[in-house]
Amino acid sequence: MSQNTPIVQAFERLQQTFQLGKTRTYAWRKSQLEALQRLLTENEQAFCNALAEDLGKSQSEAFTTEIGFLLSDIKHTKKHLKQWMKPVRVSTPIVAQPGRSFIQPEPLGTVLIIGAWNYPVQLSLAPYIAALAAGNCALLKPSELSPASSALMASLVPRYLDGDAISVIEGGKEEAAELLTLPFDHIFYTGGDRVGKIVMQAAANHLTPVTLELGGKSPCIIDSETDLAVSARRVVWGKWTNAGQTCIAPDYLLVERSVTREFLLLLEQEIARQFGTQPLTSKDYGRIVNRTHFDRLRGYLQQQNVVMGGQVDESSLRIAPTVVLNPDIDSPVMQEEIFGPVMPLLEVSSVQEAFDFVKRRPKPLAAYLFSHRQSVQQQIVGEVSAGSICINDVMMFMANPELPFGGTGFSGMGRYHGKFGFDTFSHHKSVMKRSFWFDVAIRYAPSSARKRYLLKKLL
Ligand code: NAD
C-alpha cells in the first residue's frame, strides 16, 4: 500500500470505520438494510432503464430477477438478522466444567465484492446485503461490461448508504488488479474461472479467504417418463431468460432418444408462445452484452446441425433462441460454457447414459432433471455432484433463501443467500467462559500415574 490512490484512500477509510466499531451494532446494520431498500424502491425505474441499456432486459425481467429479488432478500434478512447475530450456546465437556461455551458470529472487517455483468445489480447488491448484515465495511466493484448499471450504483450508493463504511469503485481489469493488492478481510468474486484463479492467487498474498461464484456447463436431463410439455416450458424460460446469459441456465440438454422429436416440437411451440415467432424483435427477449460475446456465440453455430433458430441481428446484438442437435463432444459448444442463447441437444439412449456423461465432467453449478420416476430423482441427488440440483424445474432454487447458493469444484467455492450469506461474511468465534470455582488439578504438573488414569477416563 505504497501509493495514496483513490482506491487506497477508499480502502483505508473503510478500514478506519471498521476499527471504530460502529458497523457491529444491530442498529447500524438494520439502518443500512433499510437504506438499501429505499435506494431500490425509489429508483426502480432508473434501474430498469439501466438494465434495458446494458442487456435489453424487459421491465418485468428487471424486476423479477434483479430488483424484486433483492427486495425480498432484504426483507428476509431484516426478519432474521437479530436471531442470526445471537451467540449460539453449545455444550461443554466434563474436563472444562464448570464452564459455558458459545459461538459468537462477528464481522470479518473490510470486504471486497467483485460483481459480474449478466445480473449486474443483483450480483453486486446481494453480496452487499449479506456483508452489511454481517456488520462489515464493504467495497464494491461492479463489472465494466454493464456500464449503465455500474454508474447508477456508483451514484446512488453514496447518497443512501453510510459512505464511511460502504464504497463503490467503478472500473475494469486495472482497478480490479489494484484492489486485489490490498489486504481485504474477504473477497467475494462472481464471474468466470479464468479471473477466479487470478483473484485466488492475489488473495493468497494476504491469506485472504475467498468466495468464488463461478459458472460451468449445467446439464439438463429429460427422461422419457416426464411431462414433456411442462418440461419444455420451464426449459425455455430458464435457458432464454436474459438471452441465456445466466450462470445457472441449462447449458445443454441430454434427452432420451425416444422423445427427442416430440420435445423439439414442444420447445419450438413454447419459444413462440413466450417470445413470439420473431424473437429477435420481442420486447421480452434480451440482447448479448457486447460484440465480443456476440461473435463468440455466433462462432458456436459453425458446422453444427442447427435445428431451431440460428437467426442473428448484428445491429441489435441479438441471437434467436437456437438449438443445435447432437454436436460433436469435442466442438467448442460442448467444451466451453455457452452463456448465451445456444442450446445443444444431445440424444442419449437412457437416463443412465446421461448420468454417466455428467459425472465424467467437471462439477457444474447446477444440474437439472425432468422425470416422473422416483428412482431416477433419487439417483441424481445421490450420485451427481453440483452446486445445486433442481428436479422438474430449472433455476427456481434461487427463490428460496433457505437454500445455499454456490458452486463446487470448478463451479466455485463458498455460498450465500439468506443465512448462508451472513455466515460467509462472519467469523464464527468460539468462546469458552470458565468459573474460578472448583479447579480440577489433574491437568497440571507434576504428572503422576493416578492423574494419567483419571485423564484417560475423562477425555
Ligand atoms: P466479467 O468479465 O464481468 O468479470 C467479472 C469481474 O471480474 C468484473 O468485475 C471484472 O472487472 C473483473 N475482472 C476482469 N478481468 C479481471 C482481471 N484480470 N483481474 C481482476 N478482475 C478482473 O464476467 P465474466 O467472467 O464474463 O462472467 C461470466 C462468467 O461468470 C460465467 O462463467 C458465469 O457462469 C459466471 N457467473 C457466475 C455467477 C454465479 O453466481 N455463480 C453469476 C454470474 C456469472
Side-chain angles (χ1 to χ4, degrees), residues 114-118 123 141-145 171-173 176-177 180 189-195 198-199 213-216 247 293 337 339 365 405 416:
I114 302 180
W117 51 264
N118 57 332
L123 295 174
K141 196 208 76 64
S143 174
E144 70 280 20
L145 299 191
K173 250 190 229 174
L180 288 174
Y189 165 79
T190 305
D193 56 291
R194 187 187 62 81
V195 176
I198 296 173
V199 169
E213 293 285 342
L214 310 178
C247 55
H293 281 282
E337 178 184 355
F339 215 53
L365 189 55
F405 176 65
Y416 71 134

Side-chain angles (χ1 to χ4, degrees), residues 8 57 69 78 147 184 197 252 267 273 312 344 370 385 394 441:
V8 172
K57 288 196 192 197
F69 178 93
K78 271 172 55 189
F184 282 95
K197 288 175 193 164
Y252 62 97
L267 281 182
R273 188 174 299 154
V312 302
F370 286 87
S385 193
V394 293

Side-chain angles (χ1 to χ4, degrees), residues 45-65:
Q45 193 52 51
F47 276 112
C48 288
N49 295 346
L51 290 163
E53 201 176 320
D54 285 333
L55 289 143
K57 288 196 192 197
S58 68
Q59 296 257 125
S60 313
E61 196 178 314
F63 187 80
T64 323
T65 63

Side-chain angles (χ1 to χ4, degrees), residues 1 7 26 44 65 103 120 136 142 154 176 189 213 220 224 237 258 301 307 333 387 434 456:
M1 243 191 288
I7 285 182
Y26 172 73
E44 187 184 318
T65 63
I103 301 164
N136 296 281
Y189 165 79
E213 293 285 342
C220 179
S224 52
W237 169 76
S258 57
L301 306 183
V307 290
V333 79
R434 297 291 320 277
K456 276 186 182 167

Side-chain angles (χ1 to χ4, degrees), residues 196-235:
K197 288 175 193 164
I198 296 173
V199 169
M200 203 167 165
Q201 270 165 4
N205 290 326
H206 298 293
L207 291 180
T208 298
V210 292
T211 301
L212 301 179
E213 293 285 342
L214 310 178
K217 288 184 86 63
S218 298
C220 179
I221 300 168
I222 310 288
D223 186 5
S224 52
E225 291 183 41
T226 187
D227 183 327
L228 283 178
V230 176
S231 307
R233 180 179 310 156
R234 293 176 179 175
V235 166

